[in-house]
Amino acid sequence: MSDSITLQDLVDDVAIVSAEAQGRLTDLHGGDSWAVDMAVGILTFRGPTGVGTDCEAQFLGSSAQGSGTWLWGWENVNGFPASVLVAARHVRAVGGALPELGSARLPLTEDLDLKLVLAAKALTHTFTHYQGSVRGGTTAWFLLDHPSFALSPPTLEGVARAIKEGTEGTVVADHRRAVAAYAARRGLTMSAASDGTLSIHMNDGVVSVQFDEEDRVVDVDTAVGRVFGSGQESEGGDEWEYDDSEHPQRRSWFRRRQH
């Protein structure tokens, strides 16, 4: 990881694809109960029919409202197996130069727990998480993996929705960076117009993202049929490329069960 990258950079780089992944999780298991077996690293969702879905789970850490602190999983005060702490330990190994990723216990500030989980997603390239209440106002945070969580090929409406949801609130600071990072992760071409609008070009049309004077997303539009590519020029701007050198190919952080 580059010495110049910050926690906020990591958050911005992954916020939109995280929103897309969390939307997928909600669609599949939004109303389900959950239980986790830390001995084997399996979190199970169970729907109204009683059918369970077993997900590979990596424990990142916990946030406690009572003490007002975040505790990284790699500190392992509960004696969990090393197999469920691989992702948390990787975050420390790669990003430990950042105080937020290298200090075992941190005072909770606004959205800090979510920002730490987003940073972990950026460093592990695992984009689905689950947070569950465990006891006394403590929340446990997990990265999850399951074949059903794989993102579908991008669509105009899906990309627009992800950008809108991913840039809501105050977690994202640099909206332009966030949009560029998302386009790169999804393998989409982007161009910038002279008025600052960013356009994401897809096979069936264009998603246009407009910003206010503070460079925050204010409008996301879709237009069917305005295809960029095959020698066609973008409208009024230069092609924009996001430097993805900080994001190597995803590696597997999950121990597979033996059958």
Side-chain angles (χ1 to χ4, degrees):
M1 189 178 78
S2 170
D3 292 339
S4 63
I5 201 165
T6 66
L7 176 69
Q8 188 62 57
D9 290 338
L10 295 173
V11 170
D12 294 347
D13 286 349
V14 81
I16 298 176
V17 74
S18 173
E20 190 173 24
Q22 293 308 119
R24 175 72 173 160
L25 178 65
T26 299
D27 289 344
L28 292 171
H29 301 294
D32 293 356
S33 63
W34 71 283
V36 63
D37 186 342
M38 297 298 287
V40 295
I42 297 296
L43 188 148
T44 302
F45 291 109
R46 198 169 300 280
T49 64
V51 176
T53 301
D54 291 342
C55 310
E56 306 285 347
Q58 286 283 301
F59 177 58
L60 287 180
S62 59
S63 51
Q65 296 303 316
S67 62
T69 57
W70 165 274
L71 183 64
W72 276 106
W74 48 259
E75 183 69 356
N76 203 17
V77 296
N78 295 296
F80 293 141
S83 58
V84 301
L85 304 173
V86 175
R89 288 173 172 168
H90 174 76
V91 171
R92 183 189 188 189
V94 175
L98 295 177
E100 302 92 339
L101 306 186
S103 303
R105 193 183 301 269
L106 298 164
L108 279 178
T109 55
E110 184 178 6
D111 293 324
L112 178 64
D113 42 10
L114 177 57
K115 288 182 177 181
L116 296 175
V117 172
L118 289 172
K121 291 185 177 189
L123 295 176
T124 63
H125 291 236
T126 302
F127 303 124
T128 303
H129 79 267
Y130 187 77
Q131 68 220 63
S133 299
V134 288
R135 63 181 183 279
T138 297
T139 300
W141 297 76
F142 303 90
L143 290 182
L144 299 182
D145 190 31
H146 188 273
S148 65
F149 298 161
L151 296 178
S152 302
T155 64
L156 285 176
E157 294 303 323
V159 168
R161 183 178 70 173
I163 292 172
K164 290 176 182 177
E165 294 178 352
T167 55
E168 287 178 346
T170 60
V171 171
V172 176
D174 188 336
H175 285 207
R176 287 185 181 274
R177 180 184 180 115
V179 173
Y182 172 72
R185 289 186 187 279
R186 295 295 261 145
L188 301 172
T189 302
M190 189 171 67
S191 66
S194 57
D195 66 355
T197 298
L198 297 182
S199 296
I200 299 175
H201 305 274
M202 304 171 63
N203 290 334
D204 56 349
V206 176
V207 176
S208 297
V209 187
Q210 297 179 349
F211 301 82
D212 62 15
E213 61 278 3
E214 296 180 351
D215 270 344
R216 300 189 67 82
V217 172
V218 292
D219 195 19
V220 183
D221 294 321
T222 61
V224 177
R226 293 167 57 197
V227 180
F228 175 69
S230 302
Q232 185 176 351
E233 295 296 327
S234 61
E235 299 179 8
D238 298 323
E239 186 172 340
W240 233 57
E241 293 185 355
Y242 174 69
D243 181 3
D244 200 35
S245 59
E246 291 296 335
H247 305 289
Q249 291 297 313
R250 174 181 173 182
R251 294 156 58 189
S252 176
W253 304 108
F254 298 95
R255 175 187 49 78
R256 295 297 174 187
R257 302 174 73 185
Q258 299 295 320
H259 297 285

